[in-house]
């Protein structure tokens, strides 16, 4: 079973949510990262995600599988969008089920943190003023870095 | 030796392309990047990047072979 | 707007999920507490929740409103079931939206912890062996406490 | 003085009812509970319970007035 995938299309949260059901699961935690209308004080109206798909898929899968073992999860799934998104779209969805809420909260948080740190996906924000730029983790665009 | 290089995000913007095949005497990931950096004027030093060969992260001193796919990974911003 | 409610009927997660959308929200975290098939090594097949409704509603509302202020949330909603539930039913749902994931995770966790500590709702577990008992927070039934 | 007492969870099981109206000379939440405890044989001491009067948590030494709704809150187990 594939636990991490990239999606060119809107994430079907309800289907992915059902995929993590388990009769022994007392706790389900889900995280949605959504496109919001501002970043670092700038007004955002859309963005693109680009992935190095081959490596993103293998790294993402590794992250989610590691979480299942590390936190003793019953189920876990993560999905990340690629392509063009607008305000309110779900960019990334992470859902986990566990016997208890400690493990579920910790695992969900750990997965999204690992994805943000280690999975080769990049965000290009399009601002209301017409500017745009690829973001790197300190939150600043790099397209205008000095050479 | 010929390698296929893929560029993403700001590296692709700077290179003006997302992919190129280069013939090079370079034999490590590091030296492949230094050539590409000179060619395209990349801002990133290798301390800011990671490198993947054939779809797996490797160290910068890893050997690169004819036909390999080499990808320089700028800081990621998914999520 | 009411941010906490008791429900005699199955929680409509999708409707409650939509209620916490906000254009400035980059992070949505949702917790589901579900009835699981075991507790403390015993096989559970159903349970009842009972609430002192008047106080549960006011305490629950106070908890969720406090979280909105404390964590700077855009939106937050919590719903707790009362009545008879079976394995897999959602007993409690907490959803929050925030600009960033730190606040969303922390707030969601805080709300469920506060509800479990301070809102007058009690669980009666029905075990596969026919026994049943009201639970109190150490996880042990009290109906057979010494007098 | 007459007060209405509501019982929940294991207290209701032990009392055999979920509600009773009692006439009592007791004038604090604490003394109302001690009477009920004697009447029904409750296991809980007040250190294990909270008390609410008219839908709000109060301290055990709070005064109780004629017509008040008094509820003893055993440790909760929602969620």
């Amino acid at each position: 079973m594939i636990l991490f995938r990239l999606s060119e299309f809107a994430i079907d949260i309800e289907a992915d949510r059902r995929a993590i059901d388990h009769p022994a699961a007392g706790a389900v935690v889900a995280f949605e990262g959504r496109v919001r209308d501002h970043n670092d004080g700038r007004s955002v109206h859309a963005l693109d995600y680009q992935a190095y798909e081959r490596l993103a898929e293998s790294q993402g899968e590794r992250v989610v599988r590691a979480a299942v073992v590390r936190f003793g999860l019953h189920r876990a799934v993560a999905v990340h969008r690629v392509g063009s998104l607008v305000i309110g779209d779900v960019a990334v969805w992470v859902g986990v089920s566990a016997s208890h809420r400690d493990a579920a909260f910790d695992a969900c948080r750990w997965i999204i943190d690992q994805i943000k740190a280690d999975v080769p996906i990049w965000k290009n924000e399009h601002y209301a003023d017409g500017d745009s730029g690829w973001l790197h983790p300190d939150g600043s665009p790099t397209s205008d870095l000095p050479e | 030796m010929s390698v296929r290089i893929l560029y993403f995000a700001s590296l692709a913007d700077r290179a003006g392309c997302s992919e190129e095949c280069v013939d090079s005497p370079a034999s490590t990931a590091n030296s492949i990047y230094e050539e590409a950096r000179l060619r395209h004027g990349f801002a990133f030093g290798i301390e800011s990047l990671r490198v993947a060969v054939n779809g797996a992260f490797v160290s910068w001193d890893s050997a690169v072979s004819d036909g390999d796919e080499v990808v320089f990974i700028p800081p990621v911003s998914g999520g």
Side-chain angles (χ1 to χ4, degrees), chain B residues 16-32:
Chain B
C17 67
S18 58
E19 180 172 348
E20 62 185 355
C21 287
V22 299
D23 286 307
S24 166
S27 60
T28 64
N30 188 346
S31 54
I32 300 276

Side-chain angles (χ1 to χ4, degrees), chain B:
Chain B
M1 181 182 81
S2 173
V3 299
R4 182 167 164 254
I5 306 177
L6 307 183
Y7 296 113
F8 291 95
S10 55
L11 292 180
D13 282 359
R14 183 61 58 105
C17 67
S18 58
E19 180 172 348
E20 62 185 355
C21 287
V22 299
D23 286 307
S24 166
S27 60
T28 64
N30 188 346
S31 54
I32 300 276
Y33 180 70
E34 290 306 332
E35 287 183 357
R37 187 182 187 181
L38 278 173
R39 201 158 59 241
H40 297 299
F42 293 141
F44 290 113
I46 64 167
E47 71 287 353
S48 302
L49 300 173
R50 281 179 285 184
V51 62
V53 173
N54 298 330
F57 286 122
V58 297
S59 63
W60 280 105
D61 59 4
S62 296
V64 172
S65 305
D66 188 59
D68 281 354
E69 177 181 284
V70 179
V71 185
F72 311 118
I73 310 285
V76 301
S77 53

Side-chain angles (χ1 to χ4, degrees), chain A residues 49-50 52 80 121 135-136, chain B residues 9 14 50 54 69 75 77 79:
Chain A
Y49 281 104
Q50 188 178 63
Y52 175 27
H80 202 295
I121 300 172
L135 296 202
H136 293 298
Chain B
R14 183 61 58 105
R50 281 179 285 184
N54 298 330
E69 177 181 284
S77 53

Side-chain angles (χ1 to χ4, degrees), chain A residues 16-136:
Chain A
D16 285 308
R17 168 62 201 78
R18 284 190 296 273
I20 56 170
D21 276 335
H22 189 283
V28 173
V29 173
F31 169 79
E32 296 168 28
R34 301 177 81 88
V35 180
R36 64 202 165 94
D37 59 7
H38 63 284
N39 190 31
D40 259 341
R42 300 185 72 173
S43 182
V44 172
H45 73 90
L47 55 78
D48 304 309
Y49 281 104
Q50 188 178 63
Y52 175 27
E53 296 198 2
R54 174 185 186 180
L55 182 58
E57 287 170 349
S58 63
Q59 278 293 112
E61 192 72 21
R62 183 184 309 217
V63 165
V64 181
R65 289 186 182 277
V68 169
V69 173
R70 180 180 180 128
F71 298 96
L73 303 178
H74 295 301
R75 297 271 189 275
V77 166
V79 191
H80 202 295
R81 281 293 307 279
V82 290
S84 298
L85 284 75
V86 296
I87 307 303
D89 282 350
V90 177
V92 57
W93 187 88
V94 179
V96 307
S97 62
S99 291
H100 298 284
R101 70 189 189 285
D102 279 344
F105 274 104
D106 291 349
C108 189
R109 178 63 195 261
W110 188 82
I111 290 170
I112 184 61
D113 287 350
Q114 295 291 312
I115 288 173
K116 282 177 163 281
D118 276 340
V119 175
I121 300 172
W122 299 272
K123 174 161 62 176
N124 192 357
E125 289 188 341
H126 300 273
Y127 304 105
D129 61 12
D131 201 5
S132 73
W134 290 100
L135 296 202
H136 293 298

